[in-house]
Amino acid sequence: MRFRGGAVAALTAAAVVCVSCSSTVEGSPGPGMSPVNVADLKTGPYKPEPTEYEPDISSANDIRTIEARRMLNYIVHSYEVDPEIDLLGDIEFFWNAEWLVQSNTFPEKYKPAALNNNLVAGAYVSRINGDLRSRKKLIISALRFPTEAASKKAAVEFDQITNADPGRHPVPIDGHPGALTSSADDITGISFIAHGPYVIMVNAGVPQPNQSALADAIRRTISLQITRIDQMKSIPLDDLLDIPTDPDSIMRRALPEAPDYSDPFSGDLDFGAYEPSGELHFERNPADVRKAFDESGVDLVGRRGGIVYRTRDLEAAFRLQTALLEPGRDDEELPPPPGLPDARCLRLDSSDAVRLYDALCGVVYGRYVAVVVTRIPVTSRSATPLYQRAAAQYAILAKSE
């Protein structure tokens, strides 16, 4: 995926911040608390203080991207349809027909349908299961058009383009007679259905030819996605700029992009404030993280260079940190950064599909958990860049109160 920043007064050098409380204290922390002297943290090229988040909004496409990110909060999660489908393939945002087909998601042939009907915005998520011998997939996209008439026309044109390929046959979807669905082999099926000003696209795959199983996966996805769309408040494009870009200063609390351009990702298209449902699409283990979000009371997430999660309280924050930094079978736990004994860090066996990182650290301050990421070269064993990010992120949280 291709992606596209007032400081506050510094703490005194003698101040000690404890990770088991949400305030700055002088001197020695109380029993059971791990002391952190913010002034001693090694933050490398990063400013150890909050910075304002000022997104570049200079065109209609930038405004439409706001809508695309908002729509991600309402895209169905694949594990809700099939718990085995949980490996992230891609996340994309669309703001016009050009990017729909340039993003390596929709093939070029679909451009006319999006262009002719004035695609406004869209969000797209793909996931697969982990069994190469019994492959499953689920791709879900919601596309917004200017009117209900335009979405209906677009759905028909998308389906006609799909069926221009020889050998395809229709697949009926129980309960959704308006779903235009087809398959060439009963292993993979593509469906388009208009709902209000939106077109829902579902591309599902099952391990062997089985039209009934394929149709059932598409049916369940469409049913869930229609319900989510009905929960989404319709906002006129002219009013999208009224949406706060930094609600409750969640973005100000997050580490900005690396000043030395060393981030593993190449842009900031995913930067913004998300509801927990939207953030789940980026997570490695979405079903497990969903449970942790619920138990920890997560109500807001800010994605910047660092990712900041707001929980219910300090205890909940530590529970969430544990869930977010749960190692996979082949992942390697790294020691905590110098001066941050309660941080947790991992080196992943496989790189993240969206931000391309293979190492991450999670720090806790008050009710906030923050995760920072980097990519460690194969020939290097040094985690210094990751530790500098973690130190700077902790200092930012400590100075954000």
Side-chain angles (χ1 to χ4, degrees):
M1 177 176 178
R2 288 168 284 208
F3 292 120
R4 303 218 256 252
V8 296
L11 299 177
T12 64
V16 176
V17 181
C18 69
V19 297
S20 299
C21 58
S22 59
S23 61
T24 302
V25 296
E26 299 287 336
S28 180
M33 298 180 181
S34 300
V36 174
N37 191 332
V38 173
D40 289 343
L41 294 175
K42 306 301 183 183
T43 62
Y46 298 91
K47 289 184 178 180
E49 57 190 27
T51 54
E52 298 301 323
Y53 176 63
E54 299 175 350
D56 180 17
I57 302 176
S58 57
S59 69
N61 288 342
D62 296 324
I63 297 173
R64 291 179 175 207
T65 304
I66 295 173
E67 174 68 351
R69 284 192 291 262
R70 188 179 75 95
M71 290 173 66
L72 185 67
N73 295 313
Y74 298 91
I75 297 293
V76 169
H77 297 93
S78 58
Y79 69 81
E80 299 175 279
V81 179
D82 186 335
E84 294 182 4
I85 304 177
D86 64 352
L87 298 180
L88 180 60
D90 199 4
I91 297 176
E92 261 298 353
F93 302 106
F94 309 126
W95 53 88
N96 59 24
E98 292 287 344
W99 189 249
L100 181 80
V101 300
Q102 291 177 11
S103 61
N104 297 320
T105 53
F106 281 78
E108 176 73 22
K109 65 182 180 181
Y110 288 110
K111 180 179 176 179
L115 184 64
N116 295 342
N117 296 288
N118 191 18
L119 173 67
V120 172
Y124 169 108
V125 181
S126 68
R127 286 187 184 263
I128 59 174
N129 67 333
D131 190 343
L132 292 173
R133 297 181 178 179
S134 185
R135 178 62 76 206
K136 300 179 183 180
K137 73 171 180 178
L138 187 59
I139 302 172
I140 309 171
S141 183
L143 306 173
R144 177 179 170 179
F145 291 86
T147 64
E148 184 172 344
S151 71
K152 289 181 178 179
K153 184 170 177 287
V156 170
E157 292 178 9
F158 280 132
D159 180 63
Q160 290 173 340
I161 292 168
T162 303
N163 286 293
D165 295 336
R168 300 188 67 85
H169 58 267
V171 176
I173 306 299
D174 289 346
H176 297 290
L180 305 173
T181 310
S182 64
S183 176
D185 53 13
D186 290 331
I187 295 176
T188 297
I190 302 175
S191 183
F192 299 93
I193 183 170
H195 185 72
Y198 301 94
V199 171
I200 299 167
M201 186 283 295
V202 179
N203 185 332
V206 294
Q208 294 88 31
N210 187 329
Q211 186 177 118
S212 177
L214 181 63
D216 187 58
I218 294 173
R219 176 192 62 79
R220 284 182 285 139
T221 305
I222 289 175
S223 297
L224 288 168
Q225 191 59 70
I226 286 175
T227 299
R228 298 293 162 77
I229 284 180
D230 287 342
Q231 295 169 355
M232 181 167 52
K233 179 182 178 181
S234 179
I235 299 179
L237 289 179
D238 291 344
D239 295 339
L240 287 172
L241 287 176
D242 295 332
I243 298 176
T245 59
D246 190 10
D248 295 342
S249 296
I250 193 70
M251 299 295 289
R252 183 173 171 274
R253 288 180 162 88
L255 185 75
E257 306 98 308
D260 58 357
Y261 305 102
S262 61
D263 289 319
F265 47 91
S266 59
D268 60 0
L269 186 57
D270 68 325
F271 282 24
Y274 294 84
E275 297 176 17
S277 57
E279 172 59 29
L280 279 177
H281 288 293
F282 297 97
E283 300 293 340
R284 294 181 299 132
N285 305 299
D288 292 340
V289 174
R290 165 71 179 273
K291 182 179 179 181
F293 277 5
D294 291 343
E295 293 176 348
S296 301
V298 175
D299 62 354
L300 185 63
V301 180
R303 293 183 65 85
R304 205 172 172 185
I307 305 163
V308 176
Y309 307 76
R310 188 172 70 182
T311 72
R312 182 185 304 108
D313 51 31
L314 177 69
E315 182 180 355
F318 274 110
R319 286 200 300 269
L320 180 61
Q321 181 199 37
T322 298
L324 295 174
L325 276 295
E326 180 69 25
R329 182 179 60 183
D330 298 316
D331 297 338
E332 175 189 358
E333 292 194 64
L334 300 175
L340 291 174
D342 290 333
R344 300 190 64 174
C345 303
L346 288 178
R347 186 167 186 178
L348 304 179
D349 178 62
S350 300
S351 297
D352 177 75
V354 173
R355 287 201 164 186
L356 309 178
Y357 62 86
D358 62 7
L360 66 161
C361 279
V363 299
V364 172
Y365 185 83
R367 65 189 291 200
Y368 297 96
V369 181
V371 172
V372 295
V373 304
T374 193
R375 187 170 185 85
I376 301 177
V378 175
T379 57
S380 174
R381 297 298 298 174
S382 173
T384 297
L386 178 65
Y387 290 167
Q388 291 173 341
R389 283 169 162 82
Q393 178 63 84
Y394 185 89
I396 290 169
L397 289 177
K399 298 179 184 182
S400 295
E401 298 304 313

